[in-house]
Amino acid sequence: MIKNPLIFAAISDVSGIVRGKAFPVADLEKRLRRGVGWTPTNVMITCFDRIADSPFGALGDLLLIPDAEANVEVDFGDGGAVEHFMLSDVTDLAARPWDFCTRSILKHALARLETVGGVELLAAFEHEFQFRTPQLQRSKAYSLAGFVERRQFGEALLSALEMGGLVPDTFMKEYGFDQYEVTNGPDRGLRAADAAVILRELTRMTAGRFGEQVTFTPIRDPAGVGNGVHIHMSFVDKAGTPATYSGDNPSGMSALTASFVAGILKYLDSIVAFTAPSAISYLRLTPHRWSAAYNNLGFHDREAAVRICPVTAKDPQETARQHNFEFRAADAAASPHLSLAAIVHAGVQGIEEGLAAPSPTEEDLSLLSAEVLQARGFARLPGSLEEALVRMEANATVRGWFSGDLVSLYADHKRGELAYLEGMDQAARCAAYEAVY
Ligand code: GLU
Ligand code: MG
């Protein structure tokens, strides 16, 4: 029996890595009020654990304030340690949200959505990952046999998710070698991004209990499939009534949804710097990988940046409740909070600008000539992280969404990450990312 179990105060930081500090359970009351000390320069620690050029140096102090609502305590029932962590906010010493706290950045974006759109966001993050400890037979796309090989893992994972406060949805053998997918039910606003962090960490912990390792890396092999994060979104109004759907048009988007999606597509070339934030993310964002390669809205199309998802309901009320759209140009190198914040800001910008409904595509855009694409308003997504960062930095509207010049800080952070990869070929870069995500 452990006499003084520890709680880990955790943040999903700018690098998408979960970092923080642990304290004894006995101190919980005190830590909820007073927090745990934290250091500004930590925001510049890249996923490779090198510190990028930091504007803070050795100066300054911050606090990690654990959120009792984001408490995760999971006993795997195998005699091993009980996992206990709490997602936290980063504040200054006067308890004001820090400009580069990813949770606070998302709260700010969601508040803007409520003010401008009068709605609350519901979201669910769908995750693909791969075992690094290979199966005996490798190609078992969507099969019962592939599922059975990992049934015990899947059952342990889904119970861990439930103990961690999530609503488990599905677990399946995905298409790629050793690739699986896990989904959970939708949550409101901040909780949806918290749930994505919790799900990733519990997946890693569950694998550890089986003596295995998993990776959520965007892509393991330049010639292979990617591990996507697909973010499903819908809206409810203040009375809790679904606000995503309208029966007035074939794509089923309400005017609010249409402008929101148009905003995402308009600012997509910049926001991918946040949602697909690794050097290798851009190997995945290419045609014919069932990810996203263009700034298009697709109707039931798995190669679109934003996809209108199918509904199974027949009656109008249930149709309105089920209706949702999915952002596919994201991966797990991103903090879910930053990804969602960037998407929400782009969407709200679309509402503010009163953008018209994008027309959904139902075809392979990679077959169209550059002229036709341009005439129809389609563009390839940036081909590299560097290109996405340059677009993001050049976009004054995007800069204006965030306080404290997040865009410059983020670009510096990412350039530090890219410097680590200099001289490596694509396979070596993939290996480097696989080791950290
Ligand atoms: N693996 C694909 C991706 O990288 C997604 C496959 C699917 O549609 O589930 O996004
Ligand atoms: Mg999938």
Side-chain angles (χ1 to χ4, degrees), residues 172-187:
M172 65 157 189
K173 174 71 190 74
E174 247 290 352
Y175 176 73
F177 284 165
D178 303 317
Q179 190 182 37
Y180 286 76
E181 178 177 302
V182 58
T183 61
N184 61 299
D187 280 299

Side-chain angles (χ1 to χ4, degrees), residues 150-165:
R150 303 290 190 192
R151 170 189 281 278
Q152 283 184 317
F153 168 87
E155 288 173 348
L157 173 58
L158 266 53
S159 9
L161 295 182
E162 200 170 322
M163 266 184 275

